[in-house]
Amino acid sequence: MPKQMFEKDEKVLCFHGELLYEAKILEVIQDSPSEPFQYRVHYKGWKASWDDWVEDDRLRKMNDENRETAQALKRTYHESTQKPAKTTATKKKGQLSDFGSTRGSEERNGSMPTTSRGQKRGRNADIEDEDTFHNRPMIKIPVPDFIKSLLVDDWEEVTKNLSLIPLPASKPANMIIDEYFDEEKEKRFPGSAEMDLLEEVRSGLKEYFDVALGRTLLYRFERQQYKEAIKAWTEGKGEWKGRTCVGDVYGAEHLCRMIVQLPEMIAQTNMDGQSVNRLREEMTKFLQWLNRNTQTYFTADYEPTNQEYKDSSRGGN
């Protein structure tokens, strides 16, 4: 049976399109005990003609965390609507935009999907596919500046200093996702749409990470370490015991590498606009939480590598 999540006259944040706006609940109705509650809201500063009937999945409690989310979504929206600056033919290595691309990086051994059996597609098929691609909802996830700086440092440590993140991570990606879930679920009502979405994001992040790690998240210099890690967790001895997938081995740095790639991954799915907006909100909250806990989850010390490893990594993996 649906629960009433908000009260009459309560001040809330409400989604209208891609953004969250301050609003007040004017009226609450429920057509039958099995039907969801409906809330009539008035957006602060808007004419009454914009008053809207919404369900609880468009509403958020008026608290500091959700205000921060609303501001982050607003900043991201304004950035995405600005006229893009002209780009040069050459991109500086180490620029953060490189982290979000599975195509342009010279440092990763990722590859783009190919058509079945290498068949050539006709010109019309190419046009249809391109049109379909550009019509898909796009998602831009606001990454906190401090996490951006950590990713730049991470890139330099691996590709310039030829150091590695120690494995297995003491706080692997699956543990990070679970700890966020355990903290965040206390703020949500069991059985609510928000709780269902949180559970979907939890499982989705783990699945994406397992698939993406070996394909697009590693720098070339890390691939030899990846081979050694597979062997170690397969044998399951010592600190590797009980680790059964990459989500149990790699930590926050690789998880964040994946998150900045999510827009490109999602563009290749059939998610609708509403689902994209909800996912963006969830990822914004997750990154804000991770940004507050960087000292807990990000590694402070990278491991220097010996000459044998350097020679092996150059051997063409």
Side-chain angles (χ1 to χ4, degrees), residues 189-204:
F189 288 94
S192 67
E194 282 188 291
M195 178 60 80
D196 290 343
L197 180 59
L198 180 64
E199 291 174 348
E200 290 176 10
V201 169
R202 177 197 196 183
S203 60

Side-chain angles (χ1 to χ4, degrees), residues 104-303:
S105 174
E106 297 179 8
E107 294 293 345
R108 295 204 183 100
N109 270 355
S111 59
M112 296 300 292
T114 58
T115 54
S116 175
R117 299 184 183 178
Q119 292 177 347
K120 294 182 179 180
R121 294 176 299 173
R123 184 170 179 271
N124 290 338
D126 285 337
I127 294 172
E128 291 172 358
D129 287 350
E130 184 177 357
D131 288 344
T132 300
F133 176 83
H134 287 297
N135 287 330
R136 289 172 180 164
M138 297 299 291
I139 176 174
K140 187 171 183 179
I141 300 170
V143 180
D145 289 341
F146 188 61
I147 289 183
K148 289 180 182 178
S149 70
L150 290 175
L151 285 172
V152 172
D153 292 343
D154 172 55
W155 179 87
E156 290 181 346
E157 284 287 351
V158 178
T159 66
K160 299 298 185 184
N161 300 339
L162 302 183
S163 299
L164 295 170
I165 296 171
L167 298 179
S170 59
K171 294 278 189 177
N174 285 349
M175 180 185 294
I176 295 171
I177 295 166
D178 286 339
E179 290 186 0
Y180 169 73
F181 175 84
D182 290 341
E183 184 175 322
E184 182 65 20
K185 72 179 181 181
E186 300 301 322
K187 306 172 186 176
R188 310 195 185 191
F189 288 94
S192 67
E194 282 188 291
M195 178 60 80
D196 290 343
L197 180 59
L198 180 64
E199 291 174 348
E200 290 176 10
V201 169
R202 177 197 196 183
S203 60
L205 281 177
K206 291 181 178 182
E207 290 175 11
Y208 267 127
F209 191 73
D210 278 346
V211 171
L213 191 284
R215 295 183 181 180
T216 65
L217 303 185
L218 297 174
Y219 297 115
R220 184 178 297 127
F221 191 69
E222 295 175 303
R223 298 206 68 84
Q224 180 61 30
Q225 185 193 35
Y226 174 61
K227 292 180 179 179
E228 295 169 0
I230 293 175
K231 181 179 179 181
W233 89 57
T234 301
E235 293 175 352
K237 297 178 181 178
E239 62 183 343
W240 294 89
K241 187 175 182 180
R243 299 177 189 264
T244 60
C245 63
V246 295
D248 297 329
V249 175
Y250 289 83
E253 292 80 7
H254 292 84
L255 180 59
C256 285
R257 292 183 201 176
M258 182 194 73
I259 290 173
V260 298
Q261 288 187 14
L262 274 180
E264 195 161 339
M265 294 180 182
I266 291 168
Q268 299 176 40
T269 71
N270 294 319
M271 290 181 66
D272 57 44
Q274 186 178 31
S275 298
V276 166
N277 288 338
R278 291 176 179 174
L279 177 60
R280 177 174 51 198
E281 182 194 3
E282 290 297 330
M283 295 314 305
T284 299
K285 286 184 176 180
F286 175 71
L287 285 174
Q288 289 168 349
W289 173 84
L290 191 58
N291 193 50
R292 294 192 294 269
N293 295 279
T294 52
Q295 290 187 338
T296 302
Y297 296 116
F298 284 79
T299 187
D301 300 309
Y302 284 68
E303 290 181 341

